[in-house]
Amino acid sequence: MTGAVTISAPVAQGRRSARETFQLLLRKPIAAVAVAVLAILIAFALFAPWIAPFDPSRADVGPRLSPPGATHLLGTDLHGRDVFSRVVWGARYSLPVGVATLLLGLVAGGTLGVILGYIGGRLDAIGARVVDVLLGFPAIVMAIMVVSVTGVGLVNVVIAVAIADLPKFARVIRGATLVARENLYVESALAMGAHPVRVMALHVLPAIMPTVILLGTLNLGSAILSTATLSFLGLGTQPPAPEWGTMLNDGRDYIRYAPWMMIAPGLALFLAIISVNLIGDRLNEIMDPRTQGRA
Amino acid sequence: MTFIARRILGLVPILVLTWTAVFIVFELIPGDPVNLMLAGVPASEEVIANERARLGLDRPPLERYFTFLARAATGDLGESFRTRQPVTKMILDQLGPTLQLAAAGLVVGLTVGLFLGVLAGLRPGSWLDTTCTFTALAGSSLPSFWTGMLLIYVFGSMLGWVPIVGSGFDALILPAIVTGLFIAGDFARLVRTSIIDASRQDYIRTARAKGLSPVKIVGKHALRNALIPPVTMLGIQLSNLIGGAVVTENVFARPGLGTLLVDAVLNKDLPLVQALVVYTTAAYLVINLIIDILYGLIDPRIRHSRRVPT
């Protein structure tokens, strides 16, 4: 490593308000489009019963495997269920599951990271080494292995992916904690006899919050993708549920005869992931101190 | 040499630690392995007792733990519940197809990633940069199982250009593209950043001042130095590649470790899952060790520092 590494706090002088950040976010057209797409998908999730024309799990609302048309906008599947309704309801599964996975991973990995970074010393040296080792292990393989222990199911997939993502979060948050710990106010709090837990919660945590938020937005897309992947592999959400990954799994045997069965849910999944990633990228640009003023 | 010896010795405690964790986790799985193995088939008490004795389940936990470690180290982790074959053999049989897919995916991923990254890095902020960066981001946002199905639909079903199943070279094309796209996006971003950083260096300014053409500057000076950081990231990309191969195998119904793992999990074939965990972690640790040693050989600063810089 070169000696001249300057470590700057994640947020430089003057924090922006959430509103200002949002306005900056929209200033780049592609990010604005991403916000709009994500808003539509969130609307799907919130208002699914009113948007979807049919019951997503009722069979034979139309002829089986019929192509997209006026009544069935995106066609029907092998059980005669309406694909559009299932895609709309799918947002209710895929999006919250992704968010839950991300939050669980962030809280667990973040706690570990803060503890390691704050305590330091030998514990940190060993912990950081273990995290490094885990970090390079294929996350999806790790998640599959966890499912082998916890068993198949939606909740288990959330836990599995959160565990697989944990080292990623722990590492970054440990780094941020190391920086935050050097602040004078942390030292003075300790000098005043504050309990370490109190210092971590009241002084370190607020200082690393911007990093945590950024880490979250940059990883939401991959959380949505990983949980959908496990459902696609048959390890997560189980069939009649209209989850996008499960729908893709249903559609794989009908690629030739009814491609709409896999095109629609895959597109929804892709749009969700790419819009979340674009927003995360843009936030990264805005919040990065090196591009302050230019963003 | 002491550097290498130290690193190899350092591997042993990590391996033992990992395998200990694997042992504990598999001990915690609810349900008796013999019941899982019988999968509901009725059996007499005697048969069950015999089977438990044969698997060593009647021994005290500590003894089983040491037996497990010894067997893991010697590559004998029992037989599959389902096929009754030795699990080590089953894994070795599936290793080839996965490595083949990963290698082909690596070629595709590096080519696409390098192309996009260089184009984007040449003129940061230009429309070309925006387009390439967006393409790279879109690439890493694509669910690979969906891309796989789309490719099967377009090139296999509609156009009929390539076979969808089979073991020949042409059946490898689509899976290689899907696996490659899995890493191309990340790689492109790395190359882009690296090119931008490199073009700010003094020797590039000198080359420009000498009046060299932009193509020559990039090809001869910037690219060579810019490639060092992305190449050192290959170790991390390797794990993405394996992850990608696991999903791709499933989509294209190809044989391989990914298919083996998913099937083993779905069938609750515990010895097979356990062996897969034991050997993938070991393989992963060894690969990282090799990469570490190579860095040490390339860069003496790493060799002489006590801790590996992170």
Side-chain angles (χ1 to χ4, degrees):
Chain A
M1 292 287 280
T2 48
V5 178
T6 48
I7 301 163
S8 48
V11 168
Q13 68 285 15
R15 279 188 195 184
R16 292 198 186 91
S17 70
R19 199 190 156 143
E20 277 169 335
T21 310
F22 190 68
Q23 280 167 349
L24 274 173
L25 176 71
L26 293 182
R27 200 176 287 170
K28 201 171 171 184
I30 189 85
V33 173
V35 169
V37 170
L38 193 63
I40 293 174
L41 291 174
I42 292 174
F44 276 6
L46 291 177
F47 309 112
W50 295 279
I51 296 174
F54 297 95
D55 181 337
S57 37
R58 227 179 89 202
D60 296 314
V61 293
R64 294 181 182 192
L65 298 176
S66 70
T71 5
H72 299 287
L73 287 175
L74 298 174
T76 60
D77 68 3
L78 69 156
H79 297 301
R81 294 175 298 199
D82 183 55
V83 173
F84 176 66
S85 304
R86 287 178 69 73
V87 168
V88 170
W89 278 85
R92 259 198 191 189
Y93 284 83
S94 301
L95 299 181
V97 166
V99 173
T101 307
L102 177 80
L103 289 180
L104 187 62
L106 262 185
V107 170
T111 310
L112 181 66
V114 168
I115 292 175
L116 287 181
Y118 183 81
I119 294 178
R122 180 154 291 185
L123 179 79
D124 177 46
I126 298 171
R129 185 85 190 117
V130 172
V131 165
D132 270 356
V133 167
L134 288 175
L135 196 67
F137 199 76
I140 198 78
V141 176
M142 173 112 84
I144 295 174
M145 286 169 174
V146 177
V147 172
S148 77
V149 174
T150 58
V152 166
L154 185 60
V155 176
N156 293 341
V157 159
V158 171
I159 296 170
V161 176
I163 292 178
D165 281 347
L166 197 147
K168 192 162 63 179
F169 299 137
R171 184 194 166 125
V172 178
I173 292 176
R174 169 185 169 267
T177 306
L178 285 177
V179 177
R181 201 183 51 179
E182 298 305 312
N183 282 321
L184 268 180
Y185 55 79
V186 171
E187 212 171 294
S188 20
L190 282 172
M192 281 160 63
H195 192 272
V197 175
R198 187 185 160 89
V199 176
M200 279 191 251
L202 289 183
H203 301 288
V204 174
L205 198 59
I208 62 168
M209 225 37 210
T211 313
V212 175
I213 293 171
L214 207 55
L215 199 61
T217 52
L218 285 175
N219 283 290
L220 180 57
S222 88
I224 296 175
L225 180 58
S226 305
T227 46
T229 305
L230 288 187
S231 287
F232 169 77
L233 293 174
L235 303 172
T237 324
Q238 292 303 305
E243 194 268 348
W244 294 333
T246 315
M247 291 176 72
L248 279 160
N249 193 9
D250 281 344
R252 63 196 300 177
D253 294 329
Y254 296 87
I255 295 178
R256 189 184 289 262
Y257 316 101
W260 51 88
M261 269 180 71
M262 61 95 185
I263 291 177
L267 189 64
L269 184 58
F270 170 60
L271 287 176
I273 298 167
I274 195 174
S275 47
V276 166
N277 282 346
L278 280 167
I279 294 170
D281 250 27
R282 179 66 184 147
L283 281 180
N284 193 16
E285 246 171 55
I286 296 172
M287 291 168 84
D288 187 344
R290 281 173 300 178
T291 55
Q292 293 270 316
R294 277 195 283 144
Chain B
M1 272 310 121
T2 50
F3 162 72
I4 296 177
R6 205 169 63 212
R7 296 312 310 267
I8 292 177
L9 276 180
L11 191 67
V12 176
I14 299 180
L15 263 184
V16 172
L17 204 70
T18 323
W19 288 350
T20 307
V22 173
F23 178 79
I24 294 173
V25 167
F26 277 80
E27 282 292 296
L28 293 177
I29 297 179
D32 191 312
V34 175
N35 285 339
L36 277 176
M37 189 166 72
L38 291 169
V41 180
S44 70
E45 294 283 325
E46 199 193 334
V47 171
I48 293 178
N50 277 340
E51 202 56 29
R52 288 182 63 85
R54 197 175 67 84
L55 294 172
L57 290 170
D58 52 349
R59 318 301 305 169
L62 204 63
E63 191 185 323
R64 272 186 288 138
Y65 167 63
F66 286 113
T67 320
F68 168 75
L69 283 188
R71 294 178 74 182
T74 51
D76 165 32
L77 279 176
E79 54 193 34
S80 153
F81 281 170
R82 254 169 40 100
T83 63
R84 297 289 175 134
Q85 273 185 319
V87 285
T88 311
K89 184 183 175 299
M90 291 175 75
I91 293 172
L92 287 176
D93 285 347
Q94 301 300 321
L95 189 61
T98 299
L99 288 183
Q100 194 188 28
L101 178 60
L106 184 66
V107 173
V108 174
L110 290 188
T111 315
V112 176
L114 193 64
F115 181 73
L116 285 177
V118 170
L119 277 187
L122 281 182
R123 288 187 207 290
S126 67
W127 64 268
L128 196 63
D129 176 26
T130 315
T131 315
C132 290
T133 311
F134 178 76
T135 313
L137 184 87
S140 33
S141 304
L142 274 172
S144 57
F145 43 100
W146 186 53
T147 333
M149 287 200 262
L150 287 179
L151 290 176
I152 290 176
Y153 175 56
V154 175
F155 295 102
S157 252
M158 263 168 59
L159 302 170
W161 285 358
V162 284
I164 295 163
V165 286
S167 53
F169 176 74
D170 41 4
L172 187 63
I173 298 175
L174 295 186
I177 293 176
V178 173
T179 313
L181 286 181
F182 207 77
I183 61 162
D186 280 352
F187 191 65
R189 290 168 151 227
L190 281 172
V191 172
R192 174 181 178 270
T193 319
S194 197
I195 291 260
I196 294 175
D197 283 347
S199 34
R200 290 200 189 115
Q201 302 297 318
D202 285 342
Y203 56 84
I204 297 296
R205 210 179 304 153
T206 314
R208 236 178 243 145
K210 284 198 305 188
L212 288 184
S213 73
V215 176
K216 219 167 191 178
I217 293 176
V218 170
K220 269 192 96 170
H221 299 274
L223 196 56
R224 196 184 285 179
N225 291 291
L227 277 186
I228 296 171
V231 166
T232 52
M233 293 293 283
L234 272 183
I236 293 172
Q237 293 299 330
L238 206 68
S239 82
N240 275 333
L241 205 62
I242 299 294
V246 167
V247 179
T248 311
E249 278 170 11
N250 193 279
V251 179
F252 288 90
R254 287 174 64 85
L257 290 178
T259 307
L260 195 67
L261 175 63
V262 174
D263 285 349
V265 172
L266 285 174
N267 293 319
K268 297 197 166 68
D269 195 341
L270 291 187
L272 187 52
V273 177
Q274 193 178 43
L276 278 164
V277 179
V278 163
Y279 294 129
T280 36
T281 44
Y284 160 73
L285 288 171
V286 170
I287 290 171
N288 271 277
L289 177 77
I290 295 172
I291 293 173
D292 262 9
I293 291 176
L294 286 180
Y295 288 168
L297 294 180
I298 296 168
D299 190 343
R301 280 174 303 183
I302 297 174
R303 206 178 328 159
H304 294 299
S305 72
R306 293 222 127 194
R307 283 187 52 192
V308 179
T310 49

